Amino acid sequence: MARGNQRDKAREKNLKKLADQKGGNNLTGSQLAKAKEDAAAIMRAKQAAANEKKSGGAAK
C-alpha cells in the first residue's frame, strides 16, 4: 500500500512543478514590447560607449 501513496505524492509534486513553470510571464503584449524596446535602448547605449572607448583607445 505504501507504493500507491508514493505515486500519489509524486503526481502531486509533478503537477505543482508544472503549474509553477506556466506562470512565468505576466506582461501584456504592449508591456512586453515596451520592455523589449527599453532593453534594446540600454544595449545600444552600452554598445555605443564600448565602440567609443575602443576607438578612443586605438587613437592613443
Side-chain angles (χ1 to χ4, degrees):
M1 204 42 101
R3 180 67 181 142
N5 187 36
Q6 188 177 0
R7 278 192 200 110
D8 291 340
K9 291 292 184 181
R11 222 175 257 130
E12 289 174 12
K13 181 180 176 184
N14 192 36
L15 286 174
K16 184 175 185 261
K17 183 178 82 170
L18 291 175
D20 288 344
Q21 286 178 349
K22 286 186 178 181
N25 187 2
N26 295 331
L27 297 176
T28 64
S30 60
Q31 289 173 335
L32 184 61
K34 182 169 177 9
K36 284 184 178 181
E37 184 58 39
D38 291 344
I42 291 169
M43 293 307 291
R44 282 192 293 270
K46 283 184 176 183
Q47 188 64 46
N51 288 340
E52 180 65 32
K53 184 178 178 184
K54 184 185 275 188
S55 67
K60 291 181 180 177

Short mmCIF file of all heavy atoms in Angstrom, two decimals:
data_model
loop_
_atom_site.label_atom_id
_atom_site.label_comp_id
_atom_site.label_asym_id
_atom_site.label_seq_id
_atom_site.Cartn_x
_atom_site.Cartn_y
_atom_site.Cartn_z
N MET A 1 0.81 -1.19 0.00
CA MET A 1 0.00 0.00 0.00
C MET A 1 0.87 1.27 0.00
O MET A 1 0.44 2.30 -0.46
CB MET A 1 -0.89 -0.04 1.22
CG MET A 1 -2.16 0.78 1.10
SD MET A 1 -3.03 0.68 -0.45
CE MET A 1 -4.32 -0.43 -0.06
N ALA A 2 2.07 1.17 0.48
CA ALA A 2 2.94 2.34 0.53
C ALA A 2 3.28 2.83 -0.87
O ALA A 2 3.46 4.03 -1.08
CB ALA A 2 4.21 2.02 1.30
N ARG A 3 3.35 1.92 -1.82
CA ARG A 3 3.70 2.33 -3.18
C ARG A 3 2.63 3.22 -3.80
O ARG A 3 2.94 4.17 -4.51
CB ARG A 3 3.90 1.06 -4.04
CG ARG A 3 4.26 1.34 -5.47
CD ARG A 3 5.64 1.97 -5.58
NE ARG A 3 5.90 2.23 -6.99
CZ ARG A 3 6.53 3.29 -7.42
NH1 ARG A 3 7.00 4.17 -6.58
NH2 ARG A 3 6.72 3.49 -8.69
N GLY A 4 1.36 2.95 -3.52
CA GLY A 4 0.28 3.79 -4.02
C GLY A 4 0.39 5.21 -3.50
O GLY A 4 0.17 6.18 -4.22
N ASN A 5 0.72 5.36 -2.24
CA ASN A 5 0.90 6.68 -1.64
C ASN A 5 2.08 7.40 -2.28
O ASN A 5 2.03 8.61 -2.53
CB ASN A 5 1.10 6.54 -0.13
CG ASN A 5 1.12 7.88 0.55
OD1 ASN A 5 0.41 8.79 0.17
ND2 ASN A 5 1.96 8.01 1.56
N GLN A 6 3.13 6.66 -2.58
CA GLN A 6 4.31 7.25 -3.20
C GLN A 6 3.95 7.80 -4.58
O GLN A 6 4.39 8.89 -4.97
CB GLN A 6 5.41 6.20 -3.30
CG GLN A 6 6.74 6.73 -3.76
CD GLN A 6 7.82 5.66 -3.76
OE1 GLN A 6 7.55 4.51 -3.41
NE2 GLN A 6 9.02 6.03 -4.16
N ARG A 7 3.14 7.06 -5.34
CA ARG A 7 2.71 7.51 -6.65
C ARG A 7 1.89 8.79 -6.54
O ARG A 7 2.07 9.72 -7.32
CB ARG A 7 1.85 6.44 -7.34
CG ARG A 7 2.64 5.38 -8.00
CD ARG A 7 1.72 4.54 -8.90
NE ARG A 7 2.36 3.27 -9.16
CZ ARG A 7 1.95 2.11 -8.67
NH1 ARG A 7 0.86 2.04 -7.95
NH2 ARG A 7 2.61 1.02 -8.95
N ASP A 8 0.98 8.81 -5.58
CA ASP A 8 0.14 10.00 -5.39
C ASP A 8 0.99 11.22 -5.04
O ASP A 8 0.77 12.31 -5.58
CB ASP A 8 -0.89 9.76 -4.29
CG ASP A 8 -1.96 8.76 -4.69
OD1 ASP A 8 -2.12 8.53 -5.91
OD2 ASP A 8 -2.62 8.21 -3.79
N LYS A 9 1.94 11.04 -4.17
CA LYS A 9 2.81 12.16 -3.78
C LYS A 9 3.64 12.65 -4.97
O LYS A 9 3.81 13.85 -5.17
CB LYS A 9 3.75 11.74 -2.63
CG LYS A 9 3.03 11.50 -1.33
CD LYS A 9 2.48 12.78 -0.79
CE LYS A 9 1.84 12.54 0.57
NZ LYS A 9 1.27 13.76 1.11
N ALA A 10 4.15 11.71 -5.77
CA ALA A 10 4.95 12.08 -6.94
C ALA A 10 4.09 12.82 -7.94
O ALA A 10 4.52 13.81 -8.55
CB ALA A 10 5.57 10.85 -7.58
N ARG A 11 2.84 12.38 -8.12
CA ARG A 11 1.92 13.04 -9.04
C ARG A 11 1.64 14.46 -8.59
O ARG A 11 1.65 15.40 -9.38
CB ARG A 11 0.61 12.24 -9.11
CG ARG A 11 0.08 12.10 -10.48
CD ARG A 11 -1.15 11.20 -10.51
NE ARG A 11 -0.79 9.90 -11.03
CZ ARG A 11 -1.07 8.74 -10.47
NH1 ARG A 11 -1.76 8.69 -9.36
NH2 ARG A 11 -0.70 7.61 -11.02
N GLU A 12 1.38 14.65 -7.29
CA GLU A 12 1.13 15.99 -6.75
C GLU A 12 2.33 16.90 -6.93
O GLU A 12 2.19 18.07 -7.31
CB GLU A 12 0.78 15.90 -5.26
CG GLU A 12 -0.58 15.30 -4.96
CD GLU A 12 -0.79 15.11 -3.47
OE1 GLU A 12 -0.01 15.64 -2.66
OE2 GLU A 12 -1.77 14.41 -3.11
N LYS A 13 3.51 16.37 -6.67
CA LYS A 13 4.74 17.16 -6.81
C LYS A 13 4.94 17.60 -8.26
O LYS A 13 5.29 18.75 -8.54
CB LYS A 13 5.93 16.33 -6.34
CG LYS A 13 7.25 17.05 -6.41
CD LYS A 13 8.38 16.17 -5.94
CE LYS A 13 9.71 16.86 -6.12
NZ LYS A 13 10.84 16.00 -5.76
N ASN A 14 4.69 16.68 -9.20
CA ASN A 14 4.85 16.99 -10.61
C ASN A 14 3.84 18.03 -11.07
O ASN A 14 4.17 18.95 -11.83
CB ASN A 14 4.73 15.72 -11.45
CG ASN A 14 5.18 15.94 -12.87
OD1 ASN A 14 6.11 16.69 -13.12
ND2 ASN A 14 4.51 15.31 -13.80
N LEU A 15 2.59 17.92 -10.63
CA LEU A 15 1.57 18.90 -11.00
C LEU A 15 1.93 20.29 -10.48
O LEU A 15 1.75 21.29 -11.16
CB LEU A 15 0.20 18.48 -10.46
CG LEU A 15 -0.46 17.32 -11.20
CD1 LEU A 15 -1.74 16.90 -10.48
CD2 LEU A 15 -0.76 17.69 -12.63
N LYS A 16 2.46 20.34 -9.26
CA LYS A 16 2.87 21.62 -8.69
C LYS A 16 4.03 22.22 -9.49
O LYS A 16 4.06 23.42 -9.78
CB LYS A 16 3.28 21.44 -7.23
CG LYS A 16 3.63 22.73 -6.54
CD LYS A 16 3.91 22.51 -5.07
CE LYS A 16 4.13 23.83 -4.38
NZ LYS A 16 5.52 24.16 -4.20
N LYS A 17 4.98 21.38 -9.89
CA LYS A 17 6.12 21.86 -10.67
C LYS A 17 5.66 22.40 -12.02
O LYS A 17 6.10 23.47 -12.46
CB LYS A 17 7.11 20.72 -10.88
CG LYS A 17 8.38 21.13 -11.62
CD LYS A 17 9.35 19.98 -11.75
CE LYS A 17 8.94 19.14 -12.92
NZ LYS A 17 9.95 18.13 -13.29
N LEU A 18 4.74 21.71 -12.68
CA LEU A 18 4.24 22.18 -13.97
C LEU A 18 3.46 23.47 -13.84
O LEU A 18 3.55 24.35 -14.69
CB LEU A 18 3.36 21.10 -14.61
CG LEU A 18 4.09 19.84 -15.08
CD1 LEU A 18 3.09 18.80 -15.57
CD2 LEU A 18 5.08 20.16 -16.15
N ALA A 19 2.71 23.63 -12.76
CA ALA A 19 1.95 24.86 -12.53
C ALA A 19 2.90 26.03 -12.31
O ALA A 19 2.64 27.15 -12.78
CB ALA A 19 1.02 24.69 -11.35
N ASP A 20 4.00 25.81 -11.63
CA ASP A 20 4.98 26.88 -11.39
C ASP A 20 5.66 27.29 -12.69
O ASP A 20 5.99 28.46 -12.88
CB ASP A 20 6.03 26.44 -10.37
CG ASP A 20 5.48 26.35 -8.96
OD1 ASP A 20 4.39 26.91 -8.70
OD2 ASP A 20 6.13 25.71 -8.11
N GLN A 21 5.89 26.35 -13.60
CA GLN A 21 6.55 26.67 -14.86
C GLN A 21 5.65 27.53 -15.76
O GLN A 21 6.13 28.39 -16.47
CB GLN A 21 6.90 25.39 -15.61
CG GLN A 21 8.07 24.65 -15.03
CD GLN A 21 8.36 23.36 -15.77
OE1 GLN A 21 7.56 22.91 -16.59
NE2 GLN A 21 9.49 22.75 -15.47
N LYS A 22 4.36 27.30 -15.72
CA LYS A 22 3.44 28.02 -16.61
C LYS A 22 3.29 29.47 -16.21
O LYS A 22 2.99 30.31 -17.04
CB LYS A 22 2.07 27.34 -16.61
CG LYS A 22 2.04 26.07 -17.38
CD LYS A 22 0.64 25.53 -17.49
CE LYS A 22 0.61 24.27 -18.32
NZ LYS A 22 -0.73 23.73 -18.45
N GLY A 23 3.48 29.83 -14.97
CA GLY A 23 3.21 31.18 -14.50
C GLY A 23 4.35 32.15 -14.68
O GLY A 23 4.51 33.06 -13.88
N GLY A 24 5.14 32.04 -15.73
CA GLY A 24 6.33 32.86 -15.86
C GLY A 24 6.10 34.28 -16.34
O GLY A 24 6.69 35.21 -15.81
N ASN A 25 5.23 34.51 -17.31
CA ASN A 25 5.11 35.82 -17.93
C ASN A 25 3.77 36.45 -17.58
O ASN A 25 2.72 35.92 -17.92
CB ASN A 25 5.25 35.68 -19.44
CG ASN A 25 5.30 37.00 -20.14
OD1 ASN A 25 5.26 38.05 -19.49
ND2 ASN A 25 5.36 37.00 -21.45
N ASN A 26 3.80 37.61 -16.93
CA ASN A 26 2.57 38.29 -16.54
C ASN A 26 2.37 39.59 -17.30
O ASN A 26 1.52 40.39 -16.93
CB ASN A 26 2.59 38.58 -15.04
CG ASN A 26 2.58 37.31 -14.22
OD1 ASN A 26 2.07 36.30 -14.66
ND2 ASN A 26 3.17 37.35 -13.04
N LEU A 27 3.13 39.83 -18.37
CA LEU A 27 3.04 41.08 -19.11
C LEU A 27 2.07 40.94 -20.28
O LEU A 27 1.96 39.87 -20.89
CB LEU A 27 4.42 41.45 -19.66
CG LEU A 27 5.51 41.74 -18.64
CD1 LEU A 27 6.82 42.00 -19.35
CD2 LEU A 27 5.15 42.90 -17.76
N THR A 28 1.39 42.04 -20.60
CA THR A 28 0.56 42.05 -21.80
C THR A 28 1.45 42.27 -23.01
O THR A 28 2.65 42.53 -22.87
CB THR A 28 -0.49 43.17 -21.73
OG1 THR A 28 0.19 44.43 -21.71
CG2 THR A 28 -1.37 43.04 -20.51
N GLY A 29 0.89 42.21 -24.18
CA GLY A 29 1.68 42.36 -25.40
C GLY A 29 2.36 43.70 -25.51
O GLY A 29 3.54 43.81 -25.85
N SER A 30 1.64 44.78 -25.19
CA SER A 30 2.23 46.12 -25.29
C SER A 30 3.28 46.34 -24.20
O SER A 30 4.31 46.98 -24.45
CB SER A 30 1.15 47.19 -25.19
OG SER A 30 0.46 47.09 -23.96
N GLN A 31 3.05 45.78 -23.01
CA GLN A 31 4.05 45.91 -21.95
C GLN A 31 5.32 45.15 -22.30
O GLN A 31 6.43 45.63 -22.05
CB GLN A 31 3.48 45.37 -20.63
CG GLN A 31 2.40 46.23 -20.01
CD GLN A 31 1.77 45.56 -18.81
OE1 GLN A 31 1.77 44.35 -18.68
NE2 GLN A 31 1.22 46.38 -17.92
N LEU A 32 5.15 43.96 -22.90
CA LEU A 32 6.30 43.17 -23.30
C LEU A 32 7.10 43.88 -24.39
O LEU A 32 8.33 43.92 -24.35
CB LEU A 32 5.84 41.79 -23.78
CG LEU A 32 6.93 40.80 -24.13
CD1 LEU A 32 7.80 40.51 -22.92
CD2 LEU A 32 6.31 39.51 -24.65
N ALA A 33 6.40 44.47 -25.36
CA ALA A 33 7.07 45.20 -26.43
C ALA A 33 7.84 46.39 -25.88
O ALA A 33 8.97 46.66 -26.30
CB ALA A 33 6.05 45.66 -27.47
N LYS A 34 7.25 47.12 -24.92
CA LYS A 34 7.94 48.26 -24.32
C LYS A 34 9.16 47.80 -23.53
O LYS A 34 10.22 48.43 -23.59
CB LYS A 34 6.99 49.04 -23.41
CG LYS A 34 7.64 50.26 -22.79
CD LYS A 34 6.65 51.15 -22.12
CE LYS A 34 7.24 52.35 -21.42
NZ LYS A 34 8.62 52.65 -21.60
N ALA A 35 9.03 46.71 -22.81
CA ALA A 35 10.16 46.19 -22.04
C ALA A 35 11.30 45.78 -22.97
O ALA A 35 12.48 46.06 -22.69
CB ALA A 35 9.73 44.99 -21.20
N LYS A 36 10.97 45.15 -24.09
CA LYS A 36 11.99 44.77 -25.06
C LYS A 36 12.66 46.00 -25.66
O LYS A 36 13.88 46.03 -25.86
CB LYS A 36 11.38 43.93 -26.18
CG LYS A 36 11.09 42.50 -25.78
CD LYS A 36 10.57 41.73 -26.97
CE LYS A 36 10.31 40.29 -26.64
NZ LYS A 36 9.82 39.53 -27.81
N GLU A 37 11.88 47.02 -25.98
CA GLU A 37 12.44 48.24 -26.57
C GLU A 37 13.35 48.96 -25.57
O GLU A 37 14.42 49.46 -25.94
CB GLU A 37 11.32 49.16 -27.03
CG GLU A 37 11.80 50.41 -27.72
CD GLU A 37 12.66 50.14 -28.95
OE1 GLU A 37 12.36 49.20 -29.70
OE2 GLU A 37 13.65 50.88 -29.15
N ASP A 38 12.94 48.99 -24.30
CA ASP A 38 13.78 49.61 -23.27
C ASP A 38 15.11 48.86 -23.13
O ASP A 38 16.17 49.48 -23.02
CB ASP A 38 13.05 49.62 -21.92
CG ASP A 38 11.87 50.57 -21.91
OD1 ASP A 38 11.78 51.44 -22.80
OD2 ASP A 38 11.03 50.45 -20.99
N ALA A 39 15.05 47.53 -23.12
CA ALA A 39 16.27 46.73 -23.01
C ALA A 39 17.16 46.96 -24.23
O ALA A 39 18.39 47.06 -24.09
CB ALA A 39 15.92 45.27 -22.86
N ALA A 40 16.55 47.06 -25.40
CA ALA A 40 17.33 47.28 -26.62
C ALA A 40 18.01 48.65 -26.59
O ALA A 40 19.16 48.80 -27.02
CB ALA A 40 16.43 47.16 -27.85
N ALA A 41 17.31 49.67 -26.08
CA ALA A 41 17.89 51.01 -25.99
C ALA A 41 19.09 51.01 -25.05
O ALA A 41 20.13 51.63 -25.34
CB ALA A 41 16.84 52.01 -25.52
N ILE A 42 18.97 50.31 -23.95
CA ILE A 42 20.08 50.22 -23.00
C ILE A 42 21.28 49.53 -23.65
O ILE A 42 22.43 49.98 -23.52
CB ILE A 42 19.64 49.48 -21.72
CG1 ILE A 42 18.65 50.34 -20.94
CG2 ILE A 42 20.84 49.12 -20.85
CD1 ILE A 42 17.95 49.61 -19.81
N MET A 43 21.01 48.45 -24.37
CA MET A 43 22.10 47.73 -25.02
C MET A 43 22.75 48.56 -26.12
O MET A 43 23.97 48.51 -26.31
CB MET A 43 21.61 46.39 -25.58
CG MET A 43 21.19 45.40 -24.52
SD MET A 43 22.46 45.11 -23.27
CE MET A 43 23.66 44.24 -24.23
N ARG A 44 21.94 49.34 -26.87
CA ARG A 44 22.52 50.22 -27.89
C ARG A 44 23.43 51.27 -27.25
O ARG A 44 24.51 51.58 -27.77
CB ARG A 44 21.42 50.89 -28.69
CG ARG A 44 20.79 50.00 -29.74
CD ARG A 44 19.91 50.77 -30.70
NE ARG A 44 18.71 51.30 -30.04
CZ ARG A 44 17.55 50.65 -29.95
NH1 ARG A 44 17.43 49.45 -30.48
NH2 ARG A 44 16.53 51.20 -29.35
N ALA A 45 23.02 51.81 -26.10
CA ALA A 45 23.84 52.80 -25.41
C ALA A 45 25.15 52.17 -24.93
O ALA A 45 26.22 52.77 -25.05
CB ALA A 45 23.07 53.39 -24.24
N LYS A 46 25.06 50.96 -24.40
CA LYS A 46 26.28 50.27 -23.94
C LYS A 46 27.21 49.99 -25.12
O LYS A 46 28.43 50.14 -25.00
CB LYS A 46 25.91 48.94 -23.28
CG LYS A 46 25.38 49.06 -21.88
CD LYS A 46 25.15 47.67 -21.30
CE LYS A 46 24.72 47.73 -19.87
NZ LYS A 46 24.56 46.38 -19.30
N GLN A 47 26.63 49.57 -26.24
CA GLN A 47 27.45 49.27 -27.41
C GLN A 47 28.12 50.53 -27.95
O GLN A 47 29.28 50.51 -28.34
CB GLN A 47 26.60 48.62 -28.51
CG GLN A 47 27.42 48.10 -29.67
CD GLN A 47 28.36 46.98 -29.27
OE1 GLN A 47 27.95 46.07 -28.57
NE2 GLN A 47 29.60 47.07 -29.68
N ALA A 48 27.39 51.65 -27.95
CA ALA A 48 27.97 52.91 -28.40
C ALA A 48 29.12 53.33 -27.49
O ALA A 48 30.16 53.79 -27.97
CB ALA A 48 26.90 53.99 -28.45
N ALA A 49 28.94 53.15 -26.19
CA ALA A 49 30.00 53.50 -25.25
C ALA A 49 31.22 52.60 -25.46
O ALA A 49 32.37 53.08 -25.41
CB ALA A 49 29.49 53.38 -23.82
N ALA A 50 30.98 51.32 -25.70
CA ALA A 50 32.10 50.40 -25.92
C ALA A 50 32.83 50.74 -27.21
O ALA A 50 34.07 50.71 -27.27
CB ALA A 50 31.58 48.96 -25.97
N ASN A 51 32.09 51.08 -28.25
CA ASN A 51 32.72 51.46 -29.53
C ASN A 51 33.51 52.75 -29.37
O ASN A 51 34.60 52.89 -29.94
CB ASN A 51 31.66 51.62 -30.62
CG ASN A 51 31.10 50.29 -31.07
OD1 ASN A 51 31.71 49.26 -30.85
ND2 ASN A 51 29.92 50.32 -31.68
N GLU A 52 32.98 53.70 -28.62
CA GLU A 52 33.69 54.96 -28.38
C GLU A 52 34.98 54.70 -27.61
O GLU A 52 36.03 55.26 -27.93
CB GLU A 52 32.78 55.91 -27.61
CG GLU A 52 33.39 57.27 -27.30
CD GLU A 52 33.69 58.08 -28.56
OE1 GLU A 52 32.94 57.94 -29.53
OE2 GLU A 52 34.67 58.85 -28.54
N LYS A 53 34.89 53.85 -26.61
CA LYS A 53 36.07 53.52 -25.81
C LYS A 53 37.12 52.82 -26.67
O LYS A 53 38.31 53.11 -26.59
CB LYS A 53 35.67 52.63 -24.64
CG LYS A 53 36.80 52.30 -23.70
CD LYS A 53 36.29 51.46 -22.54
CE LYS A 53 37.44 51.09 -21.63
NZ LYS A 53 37.00 50.20 -20.54
N LYS A 54 36.65 51.90 -27.53
CA LYS A 54 37.57 51.17 -28.38
C LYS A 54 38.25 52.09 -29.39
O LYS A 54 39.45 52.03 -29.60
CB LYS A 54 36.81 50.05 -29.13
CG LYS A 54 37.72 49.17 -29.96
CD LYS A 54 36.92 48.18 -30.77
CE LYS A 54 36.62 46.96 -29.95
NZ LYS A 54 36.01 45.88 -30.76
N SER A 55 37.49 52.98 -30.02
CA SER A 55 38.09 53.88 -31.00
C SER A 55 38.96 54.93 -30.32
O SER A 55 39.98 55.34 -30.87
CB SER A 55 36.99 54.57 -31.82
OG SER A 55 36.23 55.43 -31.00
N GLY A 56 38.61 55.37 -29.13
CA GLY A 56 39.43 56.33 -28.40
C GLY A 56 40.73 55.70 -27.94
O GLY A 56 41.79 56.33 -27.95
N GLY A 57 40.69 54.44 -27.56
CA GLY A 57 41.89 53.72 -27.10
C GLY A 57 42.83 53.43 -28.25
O GLY A 57 44.06 53.45 -28.09
N ALA A 58 42.31 53.21 -29.44
CA ALA A 58 43.15 52.90 -30.59
C ALA A 58 43.86 54.16 -31.09
O ALA A 58 44.94 54.09 -31.65
CB ALA A 58 42.30 52.31 -31.71
N ALA A 59 43.24 55.34 -30.91
CA ALA A 59 43.83 56.59 -31.38
C ALA A 59 45.05 56.98 -30.54
O ALA A 59 45.95 57.65 -31.03
CB ALA A 59 42.79 57.69 -31.35
N LYS A 60 45.08 56.55 -29.30
CA LYS A 60 46.19 56.94 -28.42
C LYS A 60 47.36 56.11 -28.68
O LYS A 60 48.17 55.70 -29.01
CB LYS A 60 45.80 56.77 -26.95
CG LYS A 60 44.78 57.76 -26.53
CD LYS A 60 44.42 57.58 -25.09
CE LYS A 60 43.38 58.60 -24.64
NZ LYS A 60 42.97 58.42 -23.30
#
